Amino acid sequence: QVQLVESGGGLVQAGGSLRLSCVASGRTFSWLAMGWFRQAAGKEREFVAAISRSAGSTYYADFVKGRFTISRDNAKNTVYLQMNNLKPEDTADYYCAADRHFNNPAVVEEYDYWGQGTQVTVSS
């Protein structure tokens, strides 16, 4: 079993930045691929970014390319999502997820473990 705890969400003005963190426990972190998803009110959960076990591969949704960066520190059991140039449409609950296999990093159902989420609100 893996426990994931997100932090770093908050209220920011459009054009601002936030850095989300997700700390994992309960299983060797370096064995897990990690992803970030988000869910806005009334919408389905959607893929944001993912990173492979060794950080050798990263994947991004088109709507965040050039603005968000996913990274990980296996020594700290932590994955990050640096979010720059935030837009009001980025407002959502952001979830960290862990995947033992990393076959389809953009697919919600592929992930085995989920955090509780952290709220991000971007004002215009």
Side-chain angles (χ1 to χ4, degrees):
Q1 195 73 351
V2 175
Q3 293 77 44
L4 302 172
V5 179
E6 303 97 334
S7 63
L11 173 65
V12 63
Q13 288 187 331
S17 298
L18 284 174
R19 188 194 197 200
L20 305 184
S21 300
C22 172
V23 179
S25 61
R27 191 180 179 122
T28 303
F29 182 68
S30 59
W31 294 357
L32 299 168
M34 301 298 295
W36 286 97
F37 290 76
R38 70 186 188 185
Q39 188 166 15
K43 295 186 177 181
E44 293 187 351
R45 193 166 297 189
E46 63 180 356
F47 170 72
V48 175
I51 189 167
S52 62
R53 297 175 182 87
S54 63
S57 298
T58 56
Y59 303 86
Y60 295 94
D62 287 343
F63 55 78
V64 302
K65 285 181 179 177
R67 300 190 298 126
F68 292 10
T69 302
I70 189 171
S71 62
R72 66 189 295 162
D73 185 339
N74 286 350
K76 295 182 178 180
N77 289 358
T78 304
V79 62
Y80 304 97
L81 185 67
Q82 177 67 43
M83 305 187 295
N84 298 327
N85 190 22
L86 283 160
K87 304 175 181 181
E89 52 264 43
D90 293 318
T91 295
D93 292 326
Y94 283 72
Y95 296 89
C96 169
D99 182 357
R100 292 173 294 173
H101 304 295
F102 210 50
N103 293 322
N104 295 288
V107 177
V108 171
E109 292 77 12
E110 289 290 312
Y111 287 77
D112 303 294
Y113 308 101
W114 292 85
Q116 294 300 306
T118 185
Q119 189 174 55
V120 172
T121 303
V122 185
S123 63
S124 57

